[in-house]
Amino acid sequence: MNEHLTTTSSRFISVILLFCWALTLGAQTNPLIIEKIIAKVGTENIFYSEVQELYQYAVAQTGSADPAIQCDILEQLIARKLLIDQAKLDSIIVSEIEVEAEVQRRLDYILQQMGGDEERFYQYYNQSIADKREEMREPTREMMLEQRIQGTLISDVEITPKEVVAFFDKIPVDSLPFLSAEVEIAEISIPTRISEENM
């Protein structure tokens, strides 16, 4: 399984720069592109809209509109699709009941944040709860598959405290970040009363 991941990842990582170039060029020369497949990982496709959606989110979060961010996004999506493809190869299954339960949990949380106001939900997402549920179903399934395969890959990994210490000992002192020391002291004092008999 790990050999398959390594072979697949090296094959696709080698063409990331080509896709990044195509993304940047495509954004500059054809702003009317609605949808296209920009990468294929095993049986999984990565769509132009996926990259653009995450790019717009990154711009909103950071305030930076640097198109090079799209290369990082594409690399992250390729890594995710590798895991999802491997999960399918390993016959890891996420049932419909599990997917529906997770989607409902997320929708309940969103509605709770909005005070249960379905009209506000519609105004914010520009779609009904039923439409949003349908939209969330496949991304939720992929996220759950990704989590399951990650758990499978690291389930047999054992790291001892000695190995952790050895790892940090190899880091040069000048490469370690400076953390300011902070100490908090608290004292609980209970006054005692001595009875006349004990005096």
Side-chain angles (χ1 to χ4, degrees):
M1 180 175 67
N2 288 337
E3 288 179 9
H4 174 77
L5 274 174
T6 304
T7 304
T8 308
S9 63
S10 62
R11 193 171 66 210
F12 286 104
I13 297 302
S14 64
V15 295
I16 286 178
L17 290 176
L18 176 63
F19 286 125
C20 291
W21 174 78
L23 273 173
T24 307
L25 185 65
Q28 293 171 352
T29 60
N30 190 359
L32 299 176
I33 291 173
I34 296 172
E35 187 65 292
K36 65 178 179 179
I37 296 172
I38 58 171
K40 188 171 178 67
V41 181
T43 58
E44 299 299 308
N45 295 323
I46 297 175
F47 293 95
Y48 179 79
S49 61
E50 289 181 85
V51 175
Q52 291 308 304
E53 184 180 342
L54 292 171
Y55 174 61
Q56 294 304 324
Y57 179 77
V59 169
Q61 293 295 310
T62 63
S64 171
D66 181 4
I69 297 172
Q70 295 175 87
C71 295
D72 296 330
I73 291 169
L74 180 58
E75 190 173 346
Q76 291 168 13
L77 283 171
I78 288 174
R80 289 190 60 204
K81 298 292 185 180
L82 278 168
L83 289 171
I84 292 166
D85 186 56
Q86 187 62 46
K88 290 179 178 178
L89 286 172
D90 290 351
S91 301
I92 293 175
I93 297 170
V94 177
S95 70
E96 289 298 324
I97 293 172
E98 290 173 301
V99 173
E100 289 301 319
E102 181 61 20
V103 168
Q104 188 60 51
R105 186 189 69 77
R106 291 178 172 211
L107 285 171
D108 288 344
Y109 177 78
I110 293 168
L111 279 168
Q112 182 184 3
Q113 298 299 107
M114 295 181 171
D117 189 342
E118 294 187 17
E119 182 61 33
R120 186 177 167 195
F121 182 97
Y122 183 83
Q123 289 174 353
Y124 186 83
Y125 290 103
N126 198 29
Q127 57 187 160
S128 67
I129 293 173
D131 289 340
K132 188 66 178 173
R133 177 182 283 109
E134 189 62 34
E135 180 186 279
M136 291 172 67
R137 191 171 284 119
E138 193 55 33
T140 301
R141 183 192 316 281
E142 289 189 352
M143 180 268 300
M144 295 176 79
L145 276 173
E146 186 183 349
Q147 290 175 344
R148 295 249 170 113
I149 189 67
Q150 282 178 330
T152 302
L153 290 172
I154 64 172
S155 62
D156 297 329
V157 177
E158 292 182 8
I159 301 175
T160 65
K162 190 174 181 180
E163 289 173 318
V164 173
V165 171
F167 172 79
F168 282 103
D169 283 345
K170 289 179 183 176
I171 301 174
V173 176
D174 59 349
S175 298
L176 294 171
F178 176 76
L179 299 175
S180 57
E182 187 175 311
V183 179
E184 186 175 324
I185 299 175
E187 181 181 352
I188 300 175
S189 59
I190 302 173
T192 57
R193 294 183 182 174
I194 302 173
S195 65
E196 291 181 4
E197 296 175 0
N198 293 327
M199 289 182 76

